[in-house]
PDB file of all heavy atoms in Angstrom:
ATOM      1  N   MET A   1     150.920  94.506 159.517  1.00 47.00           N
ATOM      2  CA  MET A   1     150.467  95.833 159.937  1.00 47.00           C
ATOM      3  C   MET A   1     150.184  96.681 158.803  1.00 47.00           C
ATOM      4  O   MET A   1     149.241  97.401 158.721  1.00 47.00           O
ATOM      5  CB  MET A   1     151.445  96.406 160.935  1.00 47.00           C
ATOM      6  CG  MET A   1     150.985  97.342 161.913  1.00 47.00           C
ATOM      7  SD  MET A   1     149.900  96.907 163.041  1.00 47.00           S
ATOM      8  CE  MET A   1     150.204  97.850 164.423  1.00 47.00           C
ATOM      9  N   HIS A   2     151.131  96.588 157.848  1.00 54.00           N
ATOM     10  CA  HIS A   2     151.053  97.402 156.622  1.00 54.00           C
ATOM     11  C   HIS A   2     149.791  97.051 155.808  1.00 54.00           C
ATOM     12  O   HIS A   2     149.163  97.880 155.275  1.00 54.00           O
ATOM     13  CB  HIS A   2     152.339  97.263 155.792  1.00 54.00           C
ATOM     14  CG  HIS A   2     152.436  98.178 154.734  1.00 54.00           C
ATOM     15  ND1 HIS A   2     152.002  97.837 153.459  1.00 54.00           N
ATOM     16  CD2 HIS A   2     152.867  99.484 154.699  1.00 54.00           C
ATOM     17  CE1 HIS A   2     152.208  98.852 152.630  1.00 54.00           C
ATOM     18  NE2 HIS A   2     152.712  99.903 153.313  1.00 54.00           N
ATOM     19  N   ALA A   3     149.424  95.755 155.809  1.00 53.00           N
ATOM     20  CA  ALA A   3     148.263  95.320 155.018  1.00 53.00           C
ATOM     21  C   ALA A   3     146.965  95.865 155.714  1.00 53.00           C
ATOM     22  O   ALA A   3     145.914  96.045 155.071  1.00 53.00           O
ATOM     23  CB  ALA A   3     148.231  93.776 154.962  1.00 53.00           C
ATOM     24  N   ALA A   4     146.934  95.952 156.960  1.00 53.00           N
ATOM     25  CA  ALA A   4     145.697  96.433 157.656  1.00 53.00           C
ATOM     26  C   ALA A   4     145.440  97.875 157.273  1.00 53.00           C
ATOM     27  O   ALA A   4     144.333  98.292 157.329  1.00 53.00           O
ATOM     28  CB  ALA A   4     145.835  96.231 159.198  1.00 53.00           C
ATOM     29  N   ASN A   5     146.441  98.671 157.103  1.00 59.00           N
ATOM     30  CA  ASN A   5     146.268 100.119 156.807  1.00 59.00           C
ATOM     31  C   ASN A   5     145.728 100.329 155.406  1.00 59.00           C
ATOM     32  O   ASN A   5     145.070 101.252 155.120  1.00 59.00           O
ATOM     33  CB  ASN A   5     147.494 100.888 156.956  1.00 59.00           C
ATOM     34  CG  ASN A   5     147.983 101.067 158.480  1.00 59.00           C
ATOM     35  OD1 ASN A   5     147.065 100.896 159.336  1.00 59.00           O
ATOM     36  ND2 ASN A   5     149.131 101.230 158.714  1.00 59.00           N
ATOM     37  N   ASN A   6     146.031  99.387 154.472  1.00 60.00           N
ATOM     38  CA  ASN A   6     145.603  99.528 153.134  1.00 60.00           C
ATOM     39  C   ASN A   6     144.341  98.780 152.734  1.00 60.00           C
ATOM     40  O   ASN A   6     143.964  98.715 151.594  1.00 60.00           O
ATOM     41  CB  ASN A   6     146.675  99.011 152.157  1.00 60.00           C
ATOM     42  CG  ASN A   6     147.939  99.873 152.145  1.00 60.00           C
ATOM     43  OD1 ASN A   6     147.794 101.120 152.395  1.00 60.00           O
ATOM     44  ND2 ASN A   6     149.102  99.364 151.811  1.00 60.00           N
ATOM     45  N   LYS A   7     143.689  98.209 153.633  1.00 60.00           N
ATOM     46  CA  LYS A   7     142.506  97.420 153.367  1.00 60.00           C
ATOM     47  C   LYS A   7     141.331  98.271 152.788  1.00 60.00           C
ATOM     48  O   LYS A   7     140.487  97.773 152.086  1.00 60.00           O
ATOM     49  CB  LYS A   7     142.061  96.599 154.567  1.00 60.00           C
ATOM     50  CG  LYS A   7     140.925  97.096 155.300  1.00 60.00           C
ATOM     51  CD  LYS A   7     140.628  96.085 156.502  1.00 60.00           C
ATOM     52  CE  LYS A   7     139.463  96.528 157.232  1.00 60.00           C
ATOM     53  NZ  LYS A   7     139.089  95.740 158.296  1.00 60.00           N
TER      54      LYS A   7
END
Side-chain angles (χ1 to χ4, degrees):
M1 205 63 148
H2 188 266
N5 290 339
N6 288 335
K7 100 177 182 182

